[in-house]
Amino acid sequence: MTLRLVLPFLLVVAAPAIAEPGAAASTTFVVIGPQGQAVARVVTPSAHCPALTVDGAKLPMRIRAGPATEPLRPTESSAANSKPSAFPMNTCETELPVGARHASVNGLVLPMPRREVRRIVVIGDTGCRLKAKDNAYQACNEPRKYPFAAIAARAAAWQPDLVVHVGDYLYRENPCPDGNRGCAGSPWGYGWDAWNADFFTPAAPLLRAAPWLVVRGNHENCARAGQGWWRFLDPRPFTAHQDCNDPANDKTGDYSDPYSVPLGSGAQMIVLDLAIAGAKPIGAGDWRLAAFRKSYADLDRFAEQAQYNFVVDHKPILALSGTDTPGELEGGNRGIQSIYHPLNPWLLPASVDVLLSGHVHVWEQVSFSSPHPSQFVTGFSGTLEDRVPLPASPPADVALGPNTVVEAFSSWVDGFGFMTMERTGPITWNVKVWSVSGKIVNRCSITGRRSRCRIAQVGAEQN
């Protein structure tokens, strides 16, 4: 029996790991890919990849992507507010052997995957927003206004077995305006300096705490930070024409087939790469039509292989959110629904139990009396919040999807934080929603497809 000491209300900031003498400074982490394959990654300024030590044996690491300055991908504001993406680092990788117990790189101990995952941290939308088009400049230099580092440290102190990031890692797209002290001096663009500032540095304690299941967000589509997504995070092999350097290849770089990750005891997570979906229905002649139809077929096949299924994608399929029009609400993602609904009147296979998503900068939970899975949204882990008031329940004239009947709804739009899920049985989980300060702001339970939370709307923290 393993004794696990958890101090949820004590902020523990992990000290930098100490490398062996002479080892180059690097970022080391583990991502989980198809069939649960764990991949050790190192992002390093060294010209050579280090060796990986696994259970006392040395394994070579190979270069996934070498140093380069990649072609300019202009941001939405203008090409003048953009720059080519400089990656002066090697990204190295090696698959961890199944059943390995201990692994390290340059003396840095890696978090190892567990056969049975019981404790999961879920975060999303973690970057600091610097976007000229929206005149949105978050105070990246002020921890209270950009708290991802504190969230990562608190989530690491909870000692998870797995971290799930539901997408949108890089938001520092444009330079901070002159005279803005809140973001003065911030790196920007889509290169390594922005990735390091927006993700790798603040996420460091959580990267050391557990392996990660990573989902691509729309901020990592090829037209934005896709070059870094493929270099650093995607767990699958890096193949030709996926690098997002040439817009002519974006159809290849912007979509990947679903894959499943076992959690043990009959449960699994199925990852969908649907971030390229928009808010409008997808029509005939659109390349996404065939790709998303295939994603549904793959999802259906994977879901039949486990007793209990989470589906993880960036854009919520069945959530309530605000629109660009003040006071207006919308339900679900019309792009995904327009393709899945003709294949299934209930949108998703009956064996899908829970949806985990981000994109909307709130925390939200929806459960249905109709045969739909529960939907959780965790897009509240760092980026500038939406601050869109959500009602106690979805309005009668706003459907969350075809044939949906909402049974329970809960939301928190007044703060940053993270969500935890702890397994209590084959089809049951306890969920907690945590604020930056380490307080629990909501408690939920999941049984099969149904979920219930203690309070519908949260205006203050609770002990």
Side-chain angles (χ1 to χ4, degrees), residues 12-15 148-157 200-210 212:
V12 180
V13 179
F148 178 41
I151 289 169
R154 287 202 182 276
F200 287 108
T201 292
L206 196 49
L207 288 169
R208 292 193 291 269
W212 283 52

PDB file of all heavy atoms in Angstrom, residues 12-15 148-157 200-210 212:
ATOM      1  N   VAL A  12       2.861  24.737  -2.764  1.00  0.00           N
ATOM      2  CA  VAL A  12       4.199  24.158  -2.824  1.00  0.00           C
ATOM      3  C   VAL A  12       4.765  24.455  -4.202  1.00  0.00           C
ATOM      4  O   VAL A  12       4.288  23.919  -5.200  1.00  0.00           O
ATOM      5  CB  VAL A  12       4.163  22.639  -2.579  1.00  0.00           C
ATOM      6  CG1 VAL A  12       5.561  22.066  -2.643  1.00  0.00           C
ATOM      7  CG2 VAL A  12       3.533  22.348  -1.225  1.00  0.00           C
ATOM      8  N   VAL A  13       5.737  25.333  -4.269  1.00  0.00           N
ATOM      9  CA  VAL A  13       6.378  25.643  -5.538  1.00  0.00           C
ATOM     10  C   VAL A  13       7.602  24.763  -5.673  1.00  0.00           C
ATOM     11  O   VAL A  13       8.535  24.854  -4.879  1.00  0.00           O
ATOM     12  CB  VAL A  13       6.775  27.127  -5.626  1.00  0.00           C
ATOM     13  CG1 VAL A  13       7.450  27.423  -6.945  1.00  0.00           C
ATOM     14  CG2 VAL A  13       5.562  28.017  -5.429  1.00  0.00           C
ATOM     15  N   ALA A  14       7.581  23.881  -6.632  1.00  0.00           N
ATOM     16  CA  ALA A  14       8.669  22.923  -6.792  1.00  0.00           C
ATOM     17  C   ALA A  14       9.948  23.641  -7.186  1.00  0.00           C
ATOM     18  O   ALA A  14       9.957  24.485  -8.080  1.00  0.00           O
ATOM     19  CB  ALA A  14       8.307  21.898  -7.856  1.00  0.00           C
ATOM     20  N   ALA A  15      11.027  23.317  -6.516  1.00  0.00           N
ATOM     21  CA  ALA A  15      12.311  23.904  -6.867  1.00  0.00           C
ATOM     22  C   ALA A  15      12.819  23.295  -8.159  1.00  0.00           C
ATOM     23  O   ALA A  15      12.486  22.163  -8.501  1.00  0.00           O
ATOM     24  CB  ALA A  15      13.320  23.651  -5.741  1.00  0.00           C
ATOM     25  N   PHE A 148      -1.177  31.138 -13.963  1.00  0.00           N
ATOM     26  CA  PHE A 148      -0.961  29.740 -14.341  1.00  0.00           C
ATOM     27  C   PHE A 148       0.152  29.086 -13.537  1.00  0.00           C
ATOM     28  O   PHE A 148       0.065  27.910 -13.187  1.00  0.00           O
ATOM     29  CB  PHE A 148      -0.684  29.632 -15.844  1.00  0.00           C
ATOM     30  CG  PHE A 148      -0.408  28.230 -16.318  1.00  0.00           C
ATOM     31  CD1 PHE A 148      -1.142  27.156 -15.836  1.00  0.00           C
ATOM     32  CD2 PHE A 148       0.583  27.972 -17.258  1.00  0.00           C
ATOM     33  CE1 PHE A 148      -0.891  25.854 -16.270  1.00  0.00           C
ATOM     34  CE2 PHE A 148       0.841  26.688 -17.695  1.00  0.00           C
ATOM     35  CZ  PHE A 148       0.113  25.624 -17.197  1.00  0.00           C
ATOM     36  N   ALA A 149       1.217  29.814 -13.231  1.00  0.00           N
ATOM     37  CA  ALA A 149       2.309  29.218 -12.453  1.00  0.00           C
ATOM     38  C   ALA A 149       1.815  28.752 -11.089  1.00  0.00           C
ATOM     39  O   ALA A 149       2.169  27.657 -10.618  1.00  0.00           O
ATOM     40  CB  ALA A 149       3.453  30.219 -12.299  1.00  0.00           C
ATOM     41  N   ALA A 150       0.995  29.558 -10.424  1.00  0.00           N
ATOM     42  CA  ALA A 150       0.454  29.168  -9.112  1.00  0.00           C
ATOM     43  C   ALA A 150      -0.499  27.988  -9.248  1.00  0.00           C
ATOM     44  O   ALA A 150      -0.515  27.083  -8.404  1.00  0.00           O
ATOM     45  CB  ALA A 150      -0.248  30.360  -8.466  1.00  0.00           C
ATOM     46  N   ILE A 151      -1.295  27.978 -10.313  1.00  0.00           N
ATOM     47  CA  ILE A 151      -2.217  26.854 -10.546  1.00  0.00           C
ATOM     48  C   ILE A 151      -1.437  25.568 -10.766  1.00  0.00           C
ATOM     49  O   ILE A 151      -1.777  24.516 -10.208  1.00  0.00           O
ATOM     50  CB  ILE A 151      -3.125  27.178 -11.752  1.00  0.00           C
ATOM     51  CG1 ILE A 151      -4.128  28.263 -11.377  1.00  0.00           C
ATOM     52  CG2 ILE A 151      -3.845  25.922 -12.244  1.00  0.00           C
ATOM     53  CD1 ILE A 151      -4.884  28.833 -12.552  1.00  0.00           C
ATOM     54  N   ALA A 152      -0.383  25.639 -11.565  1.00  0.00           N
ATOM     55  CA  ALA A 152       0.426  24.447 -11.827  1.00  0.00           C
ATOM     56  C   ALA A 152       1.065  23.924 -10.553  1.00  0.00           C
ATOM     57  O   ALA A 152       1.125  22.706 -10.324  1.00  0.00           O
ATOM     58  CB  ALA A 152       1.495  24.764 -12.877  1.00  0.00           C
ATOM     59  N   ALA A 153       1.538  24.830  -9.698  1.00  0.00           N
ATOM     60  CA  ALA A 153       2.163  24.397  -8.447  1.00  0.00           C
ATOM     61  C   ALA A 153       1.140  23.745  -7.520  1.00  0.00           C
ATOM     62  O   ALA A 153       1.420  22.718  -6.890  1.00  0.00           O
ATOM     63  CB  ALA A 153       2.825  25.593  -7.764  1.00  0.00           C
ATOM     64  N   ARG A 154      -0.054  24.315  -7.419  1.00  0.00           N
ATOM     65  CA  ARG A 154      -1.073  23.724  -6.548  1.00  0.00           C
ATOM     66  C   ARG A 154      -1.539  22.376  -7.092  1.00  0.00           C
ATOM     67  O   ARG A 154      -1.764  21.424  -6.341  1.00  0.00           O
ATOM     68  CB  ARG A 154      -2.263  24.673  -6.412  1.00  0.00           C
ATOM     69  CG  ARG A 154      -1.965  25.875  -5.556  1.00  0.00           C
ATOM     70  CD  ARG A 154      -3.214  26.493  -4.998  1.00  0.00           C
ATOM     71  NE  ARG A 154      -2.871  27.675  -4.209  1.00  0.00           N
ATOM     72  CZ  ARG A 154      -2.490  27.660  -2.952  1.00  0.00           C
ATOM     73  NH1 ARG A 154      -2.370  26.500  -2.324  1.00  0.00           N
ATOM     74  NH2 ARG A 154      -2.211  28.771  -2.312  1.00  0.00           N
ATOM     75  N   ALA A 155      -1.719  22.300  -8.396  1.00  0.00           N
ATOM     76  CA  ALA A 155      -2.140  21.033  -8.994  1.00  0.00           C
ATOM     77  C   ALA A 155      -1.074  19.964  -8.794  1.00  0.00           C
ATOM     78  O   ALA A 155      -1.391  18.789  -8.559  1.00  0.00           O
ATOM     79  CB  ALA A 155      -2.429  21.236 -10.476  1.00  0.00           C
ATOM     80  N   ALA A 156       0.200  20.333  -8.871  1.00  0.00           N
ATOM     81  CA  ALA A 156       1.284  19.372  -8.630  1.00  0.00           C
ATOM     82  C   ALA A 156       1.270  18.883  -7.196  1.00  0.00           C
ATOM     83  O   ALA A 156       1.521  17.700  -6.924  1.00  0.00           O
ATOM     84  CB  ALA A 156       2.627  20.020  -8.963  1.00  0.00           C
ATOM     85  N   ALA A 157       0.951  19.772  -6.252  1.00  0.00           N
ATOM     86  CA  ALA A 157       0.915  19.388  -4.841  1.00  0.00           C
ATOM     87  C   ALA A 157      -0.196  18.392  -4.545  1.00  0.00           C
ATOM     88  O   ALA A 157      -0.133  17.658  -3.556  1.00  0.00           O
ATOM     89  CB  ALA A 157       0.738  20.636  -3.967  1.00  0.00           C
ATOM     90  N   PHE A 200       6.060  26.276 -20.829  1.00  0.00           N
ATOM     91  CA  PHE A 200       7.034  25.398 -20.187  1.00  0.00           C
ATOM     92  C   PHE A 200       7.533  25.927 -18.845  1.00  0.00           C
ATOM     93  O   PHE A 200       7.683  25.150 -17.896  1.00  0.00           O
ATOM     94  CB  PHE A 200       8.206  25.131 -21.135  1.00  0.00           C
ATOM     95  CG  PHE A 200       7.842  24.212 -22.272  1.00  0.00           C
ATOM     96  CD1 PHE A 200       7.720  24.698 -23.566  1.00  0.00           C
ATOM     97  CD2 PHE A 200       7.583  22.875 -22.045  1.00  0.00           C
ATOM     98  CE1 PHE A 200       7.375  23.863 -24.610  1.00  0.00           C
ATOM     99  CE2 PHE A 200       7.216  22.028 -23.081  1.00  0.00           C
ATOM    100  CZ  PHE A 200       7.118  22.525 -24.371  1.00  0.00           C
ATOM    101  N   THR A 201       7.772  27.228 -18.725  1.00  0.00           N
ATOM    102  CA  THR A 201       8.244  27.752 -17.442  1.00  0.00           C
ATOM    103  C   THR A 201       7.161  27.719 -16.373  1.00  0.00           C
ATOM    104  O   THR A 201       7.376  27.167 -15.284  1.00  0.00           O
ATOM    105  CB  THR A 201       8.803  29.171 -17.616  1.00  0.00           C
ATOM    106  OG1 THR A 201      10.011  29.104 -18.388  1.00  0.00           O
ATOM    107  CG2 THR A 201       9.127  29.812 -16.276  1.00  0.00           C
ATOM    108  N   PRO A 202       5.959  28.270 -16.603  1.00  0.00           N
ATOM    109  CA  PRO A 202       4.955  28.199 -15.530  1.00  0.00           C
ATOM    110  C   PRO A 202       4.471  26.785 -15.232  1.00  0.00           C
ATOM    111  O   PRO A 202       4.096  26.485 -14.099  1.00  0.00           O
ATOM    112  CB  PRO A 202       3.819  29.083 -16.052  1.00  0.00           C
ATOM    113  CG  PRO A 202       4.009  29.158 -17.529  1.00  0.00           C
ATOM    114  CD  PRO A 202       5.486  29.073 -17.743  1.00  0.00           C
ATOM    115  N   ALA A 203       4.494  25.898 -16.227  1.00  0.00           N
ATOM    116  CA  ALA A 203       3.989  24.538 -16.027  1.00  0.00           C
ATOM    117  C   ALA A 203       5.016  23.610 -15.389  1.00  0.00           C
ATOM    118  O   ALA A 203       4.690  22.450 -15.106  1.00  0.00           O
ATOM    119  CB  ALA A 203       3.535  23.942 -17.362  1.00  0.00           C
ATOM    120  N   ALA A 204       6.242  24.087 -15.145  1.00  0.00           N
ATOM    121  CA  ALA A 204       7.352  23.215 -14.753  1.00  0.00           C
ATOM    122  C   ALA A 204       7.029  22.269 -13.596  1.00  0.00           C
ATOM    123  O   ALA A 204       7.286  21.057 -13.695  1.00  0.00           O
ATOM    124  CB  ALA A 204       8.587  24.049 -14.438  1.00  0.00           C
ATOM    125  N   PRO A 205       6.467  22.723 -12.460  1.00  0.00           N
ATOM    126  CA  PRO A 205       6.219  21.762 -11.368  1.00  0.00           C
ATOM    127  C   PRO A 205       5.210  20.680 -11.739  1.00  0.00           C
ATOM    128  O   PRO A 205       5.326  19.542 -11.286  1.00  0.00           O
ATOM    129  CB  PRO A 205       5.705  22.644 -10.225  1.00  0.00           C
ATOM    130  CG  PRO A 205       5.241  23.899 -10.868  1.00  0.00           C
ATOM    131  CD  PRO A 205       6.112  24.097 -12.067  1.00  0.00           C
ATOM    132  N   LEU A 206       4.240  21.028 -12.571  1.00  0.00           N
ATOM    133  CA  LEU A 206       3.237  20.043 -12.961  1.00  0.00           C
ATOM    134  C   LEU A 206       3.778  19.090 -14.022  1.00  0.00           C
ATOM    135  O   LEU A 206       3.397  17.916 -14.062  1.00  0.00           O
ATOM    136  CB  LEU A 206       1.984  20.760 -13.471  1.00  0.00           C
ATOM    137  CG  LEU A 206       0.677  19.976 -13.575  1.00  0.00           C
ATOM    138  CD1 LEU A 206       0.374  19.201 -12.303  1.00  0.00           C
ATOM    139  CD2 LEU A 206      -0.475  20.885 -13.946  1.00  0.00           C
ATOM    140  N   LEU A 207       4.688  19.561 -14.861  1.00  0.00           N
ATOM    141  CA  LEU A 207       5.351  18.670 -15.814  1.00  0.00           C
ATOM    142  C   LEU A 207       6.199  17.628 -15.099  1.00  0.00           C
ATOM    143  O   LEU A 207       6.352  16.502 -15.579  1.00  0.00           O
ATOM    144  CB  LEU A 207       6.227  19.472 -16.776  1.00  0.00           C
ATOM    145  CG  LEU A 207       5.483  20.319 -17.820  1.00  0.00           C
ATOM    146  CD1 LEU A 207       6.459  21.273 -18.519  1.00  0.00           C
ATOM    147  CD2 LEU A 207       4.787  19.447 -18.853  1.00  0.00           C
ATOM    148  N   ARG A 208       6.740  17.988 -13.939  1.00  0.00           N
ATOM    149  CA  ARG A 208       7.550  17.047 -13.172  1.00  0.00           C
ATOM    150  C   ARG A 208       6.704  16.115 -12.313  1.00  0.00           C
ATOM    151  O   ARG A 208       7.194  15.090 -11.843  1.00  0.00           O
ATOM    152  CB  ARG A 208       8.540  17.805 -12.274  1.00  0.00           C
ATOM    153  CG  ARG A 208       9.629  18.540 -13.033  1.00  0.00           C
ATOM    154  CD  ARG A 208      10.740  18.993 -12.098  1.00  0.00           C
ATOM    155  NE  ARG A 208      10.311  20.045 -11.203  1.00  0.00           N
ATOM    156  CZ  ARG A 208      10.414  21.355 -11.465  1.00  0.00           C
ATOM    157  NH1 ARG A 208      10.910  21.745 -12.627  1.00  0.00           N
ATOM    158  NH2 ARG A 208      10.015  22.261 -10.592  1.00  0.00           N
ATOM    159  N   ALA A 209       5.419  16.469 -12.111  1.00  0.00           N
ATOM    160  CA  ALA A 209       4.595  15.717 -11.165  1.00  0.00           C
ATOM    161  C   ALA A 209       3.988  14.462 -11.755  1.00  0.00           C
ATOM    162  O   ALA A 209       3.787  13.476 -11.035  1.00  0.00           O
ATOM    163  CB  ALA A 209       3.481  16.624 -10.633  1.00  0.00           C
ATOM    164  N   ALA A 210       3.656  14.483 -13.060  1.00  0.00           N
ATOM    165  CA  ALA A 210       2.930  13.355 -13.656  1.00  0.00           C
ATOM    166  C   ALA A 210       3.056  13.405 -15.164  1.00  0.00           C
ATOM    167  O   ALA A 210       3.358  14.460 -15.744  1.00  0.00           O
ATOM    168  CB  ALA A 210       1.450  13.409 -13.257  1.00  0.00           C
ATOM    169  N   TRP A 212       1.589  13.647 -18.985  1.00  0.00           N
ATOM    170  CA  TRP A 212       0.542  14.515 -19.511  1.00  0.00           C
ATOM    171  C   TRP A 212      -0.153  13.879 -20.704  1.00  0.00           C
ATOM    172  O   TRP A 212       0.494  13.281 -21.571  1.00  0.00           O
ATOM    173  CB  TRP A 212       1.137  15.848 -19.968  1.00  0.00           C
ATOM    174  CG  TRP A 212       1.470  16.797 -18.854  1.00  0.00           C
ATOM    175  CD1 TRP A 212       2.216  16.542 -17.743  1.00  0.00           C
ATOM    176  CD2 TRP A 212       1.084  18.172 -18.767  1.00  0.00           C
ATOM    177  NE1 TRP A 212       2.318  17.661 -16.966  1.00  0.00           N
ATOM    178  CE2 TRP A 212       1.638  18.684 -17.566  1.00  0.00           C
ATOM    179  CE3 TRP A 212       0.335  19.007 -19.589  1.00  0.00           C
ATOM    180  CZ2 TRP A 212       1.448  20.013 -17.187  1.00  0.00           C
ATOM    181  CZ3 TRP A 212       0.154  20.326 -19.198  1.00  0.00           C
ATOM    182  CH2 TRP A 212       0.709  20.817 -18.003  1.00  0.00           C
TER     183      TRP A 212
END
